[in-house]
Amino acid sequence: MKFADLGLSDELLKAVADAGYDEPTPIQAQAIPPVLMMKDIIGIAQTGTGKTASFVLPMIDILAHGRSRARMPRSLILEPTRELAAQVAENFEKYGKNHNLSMALLIGGVSMGDQIKALEKGVDVLIATPGRLMDLFERGRILMSGCELLVIDEADRMLDMGFIPDIEQICSKLPSTRQTMLFSATMPPPIKKLSDQFLNNPKSVEVSRPATANTSIDQSIIHVAPKAKRKLLYGILDNEGVDTAIIFCNRKTEVRDLCQDMRKDGFDAGQIHGDMDQSSRLAELERFKSGEINILCASDVAARGLDIKGVSHVVNYDIPWHPDDYIHRIGRTGRAGATGIAITFVTNRDEEHVDSIEKLTGMKLPVRDSKSVKPEKKPSGKKSSADKSKSEKPKKPNKPRPDEHTEAKKTSSKSPSPPVEKSKKPEKQAPIAEAADTQDDDWNGPVPGFLDAKLDR
Ligand code: AMP
């Protein structure tokens, strides 16, 4: 199957060719023709399958003719998180570069003023998180009656985050003649109910889950005492060819503490979690994508959907409580045909989480002996990114070419110049593992989704 067989316009085919795509992915091949025929669709697909282009490409052609009116967006894409919304907007810009469509991004955490101005001018495509959309709707800044095309993306994530009542309300305000596309990695009963209620004779298209089927990710677990996690992590980062790594923790406090300690210990580390405001989250992501930092400490806010090329390692510093999150987390590596390594730390309290992950993935996770990880190299003398940026090192793009790796390593780990903070702090003694169990407000599993959702309002 070729892109040219799907019925897309020449302008789009050119944009797709410029993006470097040779052929459509399975979800694109299945979804694009029915969407162009104005059918409703249910797409059962995860991020990483090319699903964004499967709705963005046909939408651009559908919207190519017609004009937008003030406060009346012609189409609406709902995303559960600001990062995903921003990513879809980037996709729109990339694929729509030969069209003249207007777009607005309505996400929480940024000023409403510019968003309101964009709406006043009229937009062809509105990409929004449900909270901010409802907020502006209730203030009378948006009229939904002109919206003929709706995409509900990552519906199961919306469910986790408590957005379904908002979505029901939004659907009921759109014209009943609209075309609706719903994408979800799984179809739990509430999502099935939502689609029965709001989609009209939809065509279902389904592709296999990329992470479970993804044999290009080398997965393993390592048993470790909570107090020994930090040393084990440093050993891996120092000795196992890590170019770029995302280190996932279950709690925001742990993300913060780990990042802080790693910076003090000379690693080029950044952080992303739901307590950070939108601009800091995006700025930190940008630093990671551009290669300014090569380690990102993250909560599950970064697990789903983020498309960052060339992440060589994912380390689950804490095993996720929810097995679905495991799939999403490890899916940040091994993307687009590249190989990746996913290592999960398991303490003696975590066995039941290992069981549920193995049940979900249908595979036994290989166990590595912690002794197989060489101890961290001498920590003194590591050079921080702040230090580095002032000196010789130019920004390097993520996933450097093989010949760039050596250079990146040389500067990122062991430089003779002293780090910004010279001495390595004494190893923290199991700081969070014990303490956080009582910190409900810092829970970052399925429940913290609600916290993130609140931030979006
Ligand atoms: P998504 O599932 O939409 O997050 O897309 C995952 C990645 O696949 C993104 O980096 C896209 O740029 C890339 N992609 C989308 N469609 C194709 C294609 N047909 N061929 C190769 N890469 C693609």
Side-chain angles (χ1 to χ4, degrees):
M1 174 78 72
K2 292 199 174 73
F3 271 108
D5 300 330
L6 298 179
L8 296 167
S9 66
D10 290 345
E11 291 89 343
L12 269 182
L13 293 178
K14 193 167 175 322
V16 163
D18 289 348
Y21 305 158
D22 295 329
E23 53 183 39
T25 64
I27 188 77
Q28 291 161 2
Q30 290 180 63
I32 291 173
V35 176
L36 286 173
M37 285 189 276
M38 314 301 287
K39 285 195 187 316
D40 284 5
I41 61 159
I42 297 175
I44 303 177
Q46 278 193 348
T47 54
T49 55
K51 81 171 156 67
T52 314
S54 78
F55 59 84
V56 170
L57 291 173
M59 276 179 81
I60 291 172
D61 267 351
I62 292 169
L63 295 168
H65 307 288
R67 284 188 55 199
S68 57
R69 291 158 62 192
R71 282 190 282 164
M72 293 179 76
R74 295 172 62 209
S75 67
L76 171 64
I77 300 174
L78 291 173
E79 293 290 335
T81 66
R82 307 160 195 176
E83 283 78 9
L84 283 170
Q87 202 162 280
V88 171
E90 275 174 27
N91 275 249
F92 241 101
E93 275 169 7
K94 178 163 73 174
Y95 305 133
K97 64 180 188 173
N98 302 322
H99 288 77
N100 202 13
L101 295 173
S102 55
M103 178 183 77
L105 184 61
L106 296 195
I107 51 179
V110 291
S111 130
M112 274 191 196
D114 290 346
Q115 298 176 349
I116 292 171
K117 270 189 217 150
L119 286 167
E120 289 294 340
K121 280 193 203 148
V123 292
D124 296 304
V125 185
L126 187 59
I127 303 168
T129 48
R132 179 55 65 98
L133 180 75
M134 286 308 291
D135 205 343
L136 284 164
F137 177 77
E138 278 156 16
R139 290 164 193 241
R141 299 293 185 167
I142 306 176
L143 297 170
M144 310 262 203
S145 51
C147 187
E148 294 289 348
L149 227 164
L150 170 68
V151 177
I152 304 166
D153 196 17
E154 301 267 330
D156 51 354
R157 175 76 161 146
M158 300 273 201
L159 175 69
D160 287 350
M161 295 177 73
F163 279 144
I164 298 301
D166 282 348
I167 290 174
E168 286 172 343
Q169 227 185 325
I170 293 164
C171 284
S172 64
K173 302 203 179 316
L174 264 56
S176 56
T177 51
R178 68 171 186 272
Q179 181 181 10
T180 308
M181 297 170 238
L182 180 144
F183 288 87
S184 194
T186 54
M187 282 301 270
I191 301 299
K192 174 86 180 59
K193 188 167 156 241
L194 186 78
S195 65
D196 288 347
Q197 203 179 345
F198 292 108
L199 274 70
N200 179 19
N201 193 20
K203 178 172 168 48
S204 279
V205 294
E206 181 166 1
V207 295
S208 59
R209 320 183 75 177
T212 43
N214 195 340
T215 49
S216 61
I217 303 175
D218 176 352
Q219 302 173 53
S220 61
I221 57 176
I222 303 184
H223 292 281
V224 58
K227 291 178 185 178
K229 282 186 179 183
R230 199 69 54 100
K231 269 194 181 334
L232 181 64
L233 176 67
Y234 286 6
I236 289 168
L237 295 175
D238 274 358
N239 298 303
E240 307 217 341
V242 175
D243 291 324
T244 47
I246 305 184
I247 319 287
F248 282 105
C249 304
N250 287 351
R251 298 175 176 88
K252 295 170 217 173
T253 47
E254 179 79 8
V255 173
R256 264 194 300 262
D257 287 358
L258 181 63
C259 178
Q260 213 171 27
D261 286 355
M262 291 189 80
R263 282 183 188 152
K264 283 180 186 164
D265 292 335
F267 289 97
D268 294 336
Q271 59 182 316
I272 180 164
H273 56 75
D275 272 354
M276 290 160 64
D277 66 29
Q278 171 63 5
S279 55
S280 319
R281 273 154 69 165
L282 288 177
E284 205 69 342
L285 255 188
E286 205 36 57
R287 283 187 344 118
F288 187 62
K289 281 184 174 178
S290 72
E292 191 182 329
I293 53 174
N294 70 331
I295 292 166
L296 190 64
C297 304
S299 69
D300 282 296
V301 82
R304 298 207 186 203
L306 292 187
D307 183 32
I308 304 164
K309 294 213 166 44
V311 176
S312 69
H313 287 65
V314 163
V315 178
N316 288 316
Y317 194 81
D318 298 316
I319 193 168
W321 289 307
H322 203 284
D324 259 0
D325 286 329
Y326 176 81
I327 309 254
H328 289 290
R329 287 182 184 186
I330 70 164
R332 298 314 99 216
T333 184
R335 288 173 81 73
T339 51
I341 292 174
I343 301 171
T344 301
F345 292 178
V346 175
T347 69
N348 56 10
R349 299 186 200 165
D350 295 334
E351 285 308 331
E352 84 182 72
H353 300 306
V354 176
D355 286 350
S356 46
I357 289 168
E358 290 182 339
K359 220 189 241 160
L360 181 71
T361 57
M363 68 175 270
K364 192 105 187 110
L365 290 170
V367 180
R368 264 185 78 179
D369 189 338
S370 62
K371 292 196 190 87
S372 70
V373 178
K374 286 194 199 142
E376 59 178 314
K377 293 178 188 159
K378 200 165 152 272
S380 60
K382 284 179 183 169
K383 199 178 180 187
S384 79
S385 50
D387 205 11
K388 194 173 57 184
S389 64
K390 277 191 220 127
S391 58
E392 76 291 352
K393 182 78 177 118
K395 254 183 152 188
K396 74 176 169 62
N398 230 344
K399 196 64 197 170
R401 296 188 307 275
D403 56 329
E404 290 172 327
H405 282 176
T406 29
E407 178 57 21
K409 290 268 177 47
K410 263 190 248 160
T411 41
S412 75
S413 50
K414 304 288 185 265
S415 153
S417 359
V420 173
E421 297 183 46
K422 284 174 194 142
S423 61
K424 184 172 176 179
K425 271 190 11 181
E427 197 75 15
K428 272 198 173 178
Q429 298 301 302
I432 312 300
E434 277 84 29
D437 286 346
T438 54
Q439 295 178 6
D440 287 343
D441 61 341
D442 212 29
W443 173 274
N444 204 19
V447 178
F450 291 98
L451 298 177
D452 279 342
K454 278 185 199 140
L455 282 169
D456 272 330
R457 284 169 198 274

